[in-house]
Amino acid sequence: MANDRDLLQVVRLLDDACKEAGFFYVKGHGIDESLMREVRNVTRKFFQLPYEEKLKIKMTPQSGYRGYQRLGENITKGKPDMHEAIDCYTPIRPGKYGDLAKPMEGSNLWPEYPSNFEVLLENYINLCRDISRKIMRGIALALGGAIDAFEGETAGDPFWVLRLIGYPVDIPKEQRTDTGCGAHTDYGLLTLVNQDDDICALEVQNRSGEWIYATPIPGTFVCNIGDMLKVWTNGIYQPTLHRVVNNSPRYRVSVAFFYESNFDAAIEPVEFCREKTGGAAKYEKVVYGEHLVQKVLTNFVM
């Protein structure tokens, strides 16, 4: 690999992006643009169904917080978000992680319509997982580590989250805000966002504190790094605040895939990153599953 100039160039670009912005676009990733569009289209078709139909896969504590959530049910920093969504997680069989995962045990709730929804999405999830693993190998090299630094106990059995999100426009006046999703950082290692090509809504806070659009580029994923990578790198890479602003006259769809560590991984600053940052750990150890469960249990008004 040391002689592969193209690879080294990509690794350098990844390092710059993670250090300077925490956000980047990925193209040439191997998922056809037509498949990315189809995933958004079936998501849009589901959200166009009557409310009673959508409630057939309603998210509840009994479903392991999987399924459909109505407008305003998702909360960011105490404020309701103006979106509806379907949340999917890696299936967790009862007892797999003991008490750690108890609130999130279960399988995903897939709608009956559109009829190809489950098959399409499960294939898409597998493709996103493969791309994410490759990007994380690039990030490992960018940090000066071994290509498999995130395998094994860190992310050899990566947990994943998929959020299919719809941003409506016909919201009652008394409920409406322009906050599609409030400012936040993501919990895990890496996020891939597949967003509508023709609506600007995702905003990223740059290092000067200004909010700038992550303008859609057809066929690309918008990627960003999360909280667990900050801890693992001892702050070399920092996640970036981002938000979604609802200001389009048209319904918008975004499909976000979150690539996480192993559910039961204890994430702490890794030695070679500590050595690059003065030797001392700047962050305490975090068990990813605990971090996720704590967030999920406080994220919704039901």
Side-chain angles (χ1 to χ4, degrees):
M1 286 188 301
N3 298 319
D4 187 333
R5 292 169 70 177
D6 289 342
L7 176 74
L8 293 175
Q9 171 68 1
V10 171
V11 167
R12 270 195 297 272
L13 287 169
L14 260 179
D15 187 46
D16 287 346
C18 290
K19 276 183 181 153
E20 300 302 321
F23 264 78
F24 48 93
Y25 293 90
V26 172
K27 63 179 184 177
H29 43 66
I31 295 185
D32 286 344
E33 188 176 341
S34 60
L35 176 58
M36 294 177 72
R37 194 182 309 115
E38 192 179 357
V39 166
R40 297 196 307 271
N41 286 343
V42 298
T43 300
R44 187 177 275 101
K45 281 180 185 169
F46 172 81
F47 289 136
Q48 286 169 346
L49 293 173
Y51 183 57
E52 297 71 31
E53 192 66 28
K54 293 187 278 193
L55 285 181
K56 287 181 179 176
I57 60 161
K58 178 176 166 52
M59 181 195 70
T60 64
Q62 291 70 38
S63 70
Y65 294 90
R66 293 163 169 79
Y68 172 74
Q69 59 207 243
R70 68 184 189 279
L71 184 78
E73 201 167 349
N74 193 86
I75 300 288
T76 303
K77 295 185 179 166
K79 293 183 178 176
D81 293 321
M82 295 295 102
H83 69 245
E84 54 184 337
I86 302 175
D87 282 6
C88 310
Y89 299 97
T90 304
I92 303 177
R93 67 174 188 275
K96 181 173 182 182
Y97 299 109
D99 289 342
L100 177 64
K102 215 163 201 52
M104 299 191 66
E105 289 175 349
S107 301
N108 291 310
L109 305 179
W110 300 109
E112 291 175 17
Y113 179 84
S115 57
N116 64 333
F117 198 99
E118 180 177 357
V119 171
L120 181 76
L121 266 295
E122 290 199 328
N123 176 49
Y124 180 75
I125 286 163
N126 288 333
L127 293 170
C128 285
R129 198 170 51 198
D130 290 346
I131 294 167
S132 300
R133 181 168 253 139
K134 287 172 184 168
I135 295 171
M136 291 310 301
R137 287 174 175 168
I139 286 175
L141 293 174
L143 287 161
I147 194 167
D148 61 355
F150 289 101
E151 300 296 320
E153 291 182 0
T154 302
D157 180 24
F159 194 77
W160 56 261
V161 180
L162 184 76
R163 296 203 78 220
L164 303 119
I165 311 166
Y167 297 91
V169 289
D170 52 346
I171 302 169
K173 226 175 194 171
E174 64 276 8
Q175 191 181 5
R176 184 177 179 85
T177 71
D178 62 359
T179 308
C181 186
H184 64 284
T185 56
D186 293 342
Y187 312 150
L189 294 172
L190 181 73
T191 306
L192 308 183
V193 177
N194 171 8
Q195 59 177 340
D196 274 343
D197 292 338
D198 53 355
I199 300 174
C200 284
L202 175 60
E203 293 188 331
V204 179
Q205 192 175 58
N206 67 17
R207 295 292 186 246
S208 307
E210 301 164 319
W211 289 100
I212 56 171
Y213 279 124
T215 304
I217 301 175
T220 68
F221 286 104
V222 178
C223 298
N224 62 280
I225 58 179
D227 299 339
M228 293 301 112
L229 194 59
K230 172 185 73 175
V231 174
W232 197 87
T233 65
N234 209 29
I236 293 174
Y237 293 164
Q238 294 279 342
T240 307
L241 274 175
H242 51 285
R243 67 186 184 187
V244 176
V245 176
N246 267 0
N247 55 11
S248 167
R250 282 173 297 133
Y251 194 101
R252 176 177 176 268
V253 166
S254 175
V255 179
F257 178 83
F258 302 88
Y259 186 83
E260 319 287 75
S261 64
N262 298 355
F263 189 84
D264 55 355
I267 304 296
E268 57 188 330
V270 72
E271 187 177 351
F272 75 88
C273 288
R274 287 202 316 266
E275 287 169 0
K276 292 181 172 198
T277 50
K282 297 178 182 177
Y283 303 97
E284 293 182 4
K285 180 161 60 179
V286 181
V287 176
Y288 167 74
E290 285 179 6
H291 185 60
L292 179 66
V293 168
Q294 179 193 6
K295 297 280 190 182
V296 167
L297 293 181
T298 56
N299 255 11
F300 305 102
V301 174
M302 285 187 256

